[in-house]
């Protein structure tokens, strides 16, 4: 508000949340292409996918909470 910007916080958060969903899809595709003998790489990609999915859920939760006004 101090900068005179008409966009609110949820508007700024929307684009990164959209990007992170693309990262989730990309990691899932990479994971699908990993062969079982690449277990170390597969585990790392799976861990990254879990982090990205958690952040995606968390970001969506924050956007939803921002939309709720006057609520504990």
């Amino acid at each position: 508000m101090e900068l005179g910007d008409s966009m609110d916080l949820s508007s700024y958060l929307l684009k990164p949340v959209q990007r992170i969903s693309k990262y989730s899809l990309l990691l899932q595709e990479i994971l699908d292409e990993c062969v079982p003998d690449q277990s170390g790489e597969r585990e790392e990609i799976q861990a990254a996918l879990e982090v990205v999915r958690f952040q995606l859920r968390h970001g969506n939760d924050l956007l939803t909470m921002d939309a709720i006004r006057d609520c504990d």
Side-chain angles (χ1 to χ4, degrees):
M1 286 186 209
E2 292 176 13
L3 297 174
D5 198 339
S6 61
M7 290 177 29
D8 62 352
L9 179 61
S10 62
S11 299
Y12 283 106
L13 292 176
L14 185 59
K15 193 67 169 180
V17 170
Q18 290 171 338
R19 282 190 193 123
I20 202 165
S21 64
K22 291 180 182 180
Y23 296 146
S24 175
L25 293 172
L26 176 63
L27 286 169
Q28 184 61 56
E29 287 181 24
I30 292 171
L31 189 62
D32 292 342
E33 294 296 321
C34 281
V35 293
D37 64 337
Q38 296 173 320
S39 61
E41 292 177 7
R42 187 173 177 81
E43 289 173 6
E44 289 179 9
I45 295 167
Q46 182 65 45
L49 181 59
E50 289 173 16
V51 168
V52 168
R53 286 182 176 167
F54 171 80
Q55 292 301 325
L56 182 57
R57 284 190 309 271
H58 186 64
N60 284 332
D61 291 346
L62 290 175
L63 286 172
T64 301
M65 289 182 350
D66 186 52
I68 299 172
R69 303 276 189 242
D70 300 322
C71 184
D72 290 340

